[in-house]
Amino acid sequence: MDGLHLLAEFRGCRCVPELLCEATRLRRLCLDEVHAAGLNPVGELFHSFEPVGVTGVVLLAESHLALHTWPEFRVITLDVYVCNHRRDASAAAWDLIAALQDQFRPMNSICREVTRGDVADGFSPATAPQAPTWRP
Amino acid sequence: MDGLHLLAEFRGCRCVPELLCEATRLRRLCLDEVHAAGLNPVGELFHSFEPVGVTGVVLLAESHLALHTWPEFRVITLDVYVCNHRRDASAAAWDLIAALQDQFRPMNSICREVTRGDVADGFSPATAPQAPTWRP
């Protein structure tokens, strides 16, 4: 399925610590920014670890946003995946990553872009069945 | 945060259609395979779309498994992300992908491997703050 998957790391986050530590606050921020980017949430789940750290996901009609925080290192890893089945949501995915970066205020950030699906790998429905070759 | 992110597509899935269509059945399969791979779920959320399609996530102590099904095309996209903070869970991530492939029985599959974190991008805590450069 054609789509875009963005994999980001934010380090040295200068936001208020609660954004990294409190699941309810992180959840609220994620939902607000998902809506602001024009994406469509269909559910969300956030989990707090002991002693610190939150992991969470917003399921989207377009696919998902997932985040994992390490408050002790002021690090967040996150990924946004949008399938472009009904419309091209790529711009919204970039907007969401940028908006979250504005909120977490990392000292350093990196974002990898992975194009997924037929366009990316030349798959054709006419391709003959193959044995999986990707296992290391 | 050092880790491994696997991004897979399964096409032409020859499993029973219910595995692609029924959230409760997909959820059960995912939890079983997560446990079998030695990973540690901390929560899960699955959503059914109308008329067809399921999207779901299993949050892990190690990070997450996310899946999106398109039964009308017999396609699944999925990703497994494990951070290797407390132990190297890379082998478990590969085991999980392989086990799910065995269950969904795709005619074609592809899996991309993304190494995440300090090892992958040469980040050092001593690195000076940078303006983000990744926005297209």
Side-chain angles (χ1 to χ4, degrees):
Chain A
M1 198 54 54
D2 292 341
L4 175 68
H5 205 140
L6 302 176
L7 311 175
E9 334 273 336
F10 295 160
R11 297 159 182 148
C13 292
R14 292 166 290 177
C15 58
V16 293
E18 292 78 7
L19 266 188
L20 306 179
C21 298
E22 295 180 5
T24 52
R25 191 146 173 190
L26 183 63
R27 172 185 171 278
R28 184 70 264 155
L29 171 68
C30 289
L31 287 173
D32 287 348
E33 297 299 353
V34 159
H35 282 294
L39 295 165
N40 298 287
V42 297
E44 76 279 353
L45 179 66
F46 285 77
H47 173 85
S48 295
F49 291 101
E50 288 295 333
V52 289
V54 179
T55 195
V57 68
V58 181
L59 297 182
L60 305 172
E62 296 85 359
S63 286
H64 72 252
L65 160 68
L67 306 92
H68 310 280
T69 79
W70 285 268
E72 66 273 44
F73 303 118
R74 302 192 73 76
V75 166
I76 299 176
T77 66
L78 63 158
D79 62 288
V80 178
Y81 172 36
V82 292
C83 66
N84 294 330
H85 180 43
R86 295 187 188 282
R87 67 178 178 107
D88 187 341
S90 301
W94 283 111
D95 287 346
L96 178 55
I97 290 273
L100 291 171
Q101 172 160 306
D102 287 345
Q103 293 291 332
F104 292 118
R105 304 176 58 227
M107 297 276 279
N108 295 81
S109 63
I110 188 169
C111 186
R112 294 181 184 81
E113 176 180 3
V114 179
T115 303
R116 298 186 69 170
D118 301 357
V119 170
D121 54 34
F123 173 80
S124 154
T127 302
Q130 303 164 332
T133 55
W134 47 260
R135 189 84 200 273
Chain B
M1 198 55 53
D2 292 343
L4 175 67
H5 205 140
L6 302 176
L7 311 175
E9 333 273 338
F10 295 161
R11 297 159 183 148
C13 291
R14 292 166 291 176
C15 58
V16 293
E18 291 78 5
L19 267 188
L20 305 179
C21 297
E22 295 180 6
T24 53
R25 191 146 173 189
L26 183 61
R27 172 185 170 278
R28 183 71 265 155
L29 170 68
C30 290
L31 286 173
D32 287 348
E33 296 299 353
V34 160
H35 282 294
L39 295 166
N40 298 285
V42 297
E44 77 278 353
L45 178 66
F46 286 77
H47 173 85
S48 295
F49 291 101
E50 288 295 333
V52 289
V54 180
T55 194
V57 69
V58 181
L59 296 182
L60 305 172
E62 296 84 0
S63 286
H64 71 253
L65 159 68
L67 306 92
H68 310 280
T69 79
W70 284 268
E72 66 273 44
F73 303 116
R74 302 192 73 77
V75 165
I76 299 176
T77 65
L78 63 157
D79 62 288
V80 178
Y81 172 36
V82 292
C83 66
N84 293 330
H85 180 43
R86 296 186 188 281
R87 67 179 179 104
D88 187 342
S90 301
W94 283 110
D95 286 346
L96 178 55
I97 290 274
L100 291 171
Q101 171 160 309
D102 287 345
Q103 294 292 332
F104 292 117
R105 304 175 58 226
M107 297 277 280
N108 295 80
S109 63
I110 187 169
C111 186
R112 293 182 184 82
E113 176 181 3
V114 179
T115 303
R116 297 187 69 170
D118 301 357
V119 170
D121 55 35
F123 172 78
S124 155
T127 303
Q130 303 163 333
T133 56
W134 46 261
R135 190 84 201 273

